[in-house]
């Protein structure tokens, strides 16, 4: 399921990062890699704040939908 379906406070394992090559590279540079842990901190208006690799990152709904957990 995409990251957009995760609930706040829930820790999940990233199964796959989709999208075009440029998008995948961007997300990987932020720490969204297959097998990594991601925790949703909050969600407002489709935008999400997540903890990934001990950092807080804000991503929009479009990017979050490309991250499969």
């Amino acid at each position: 399921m995409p990251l957009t379906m995760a609930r706040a406070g829930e820790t999940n394992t990233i199964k796959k990062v989709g999208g075009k090559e440029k998008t995948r590279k961007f997300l990987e540079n932020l720490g969204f890699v297959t097998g990594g842990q991601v925790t949703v901190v909050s969600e407002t208006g489709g935008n999400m704040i997540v903890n990934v690799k001990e950092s807080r990152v804000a991503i929009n709904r479009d990017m979050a939908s490309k991250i499969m957990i």
Side-chain angles (χ1 to χ4, degrees):
M1 72 177 178
L3 183 59
T4 53
M5 303 287 283
R7 294 190 180 130
E10 209 174 65
T11 300
N12 295 286
T13 303
I14 299 170
K15 305 277 191 239
K16 180 184 168 194
V17 179
K20 295 181 180 174
E21 181 66 27
K22 187 176 179 183
T23 305
R24 282 197 313 268
K25 279 286 184 206
F26 175 74
L27 290 170
E28 284 174 11
N29 288 337
L30 289 176
F32 296 97
V33 292
T34 303
Q37 299 290 311
V38 62
T39 306
V40 176
V41 176
S42 68
E43 180 185 3
T44 38
N47 298 321
M48 303 181 98
I49 298 175
V50 297
N51 273 341
V52 63
K53 291 207 172 184
E54 299 175 17
S55 303
R56 281 194 178 188
V57 179
I59 55 174
N60 64 19
R61 183 172 201 69
D62 214 30
M63 290 287 186
S65 67
K66 291 176 176 38
I67 301 167
M68 297 296 154
I69 54 173

